Amino acid sequence: MITGQLERAFQLAEKHKLDVSTILELNKIIMKEVNSSPKTEEKILQQILQILENNKQILREAT
């Protein structure tokens, strides 16, 4: 399971141009705070990553 989580973190980090450690930390926070099914946790992670992408785009446009 941990190997799968790490592989997923690498994929997401590459896709969203973030550090792997950032993805892993987000996962830990979500697991601790949400305490839900892995599917729900994955959806929450995707939503957070989308918010980060949107914020990056807004910052690019503002400068």
Side-chain angles (χ1 to χ4, degrees):
M1 182 66 178
I2 291 174
T3 304
Q5 287 177 342
L6 189 57
E7 182 179 341
R8 182 71 177 139
F10 273 102
Q11 291 171 349
L12 290 171
E14 184 177 356
K15 178 180 177 184
H16 295 283
K17 295 179 178 76
L18 295 169
D19 292 334
V20 174
S21 62
T22 302
I23 303 293
L24 293 173
E25 285 298 315
L26 285 171
N27 269 333
K28 280 200 290 190
I29 292 167
I30 292 167
M31 286 189 306
K32 180 181 175 186
E33 296 296 326
V34 176
N35 195 20
S36 189
S37 71
K39 188 174 182 178
T40 301
E41 291 170 357
E42 176 69 20
K43 286 181 181 180
I44 293 168
L45 178 61
Q46 290 296 331
Q47 289 174 346
I48 290 171
L49 292 173
Q50 185 61 48
I51 290 168
L52 290 173
E53 286 291 324
N54 292 345
N55 287 347
K56 284 197 296 190
Q57 183 63 33
I58 290 168
L59 287 172
R60 278 190 214 117
E61 291 172 0
T63 56

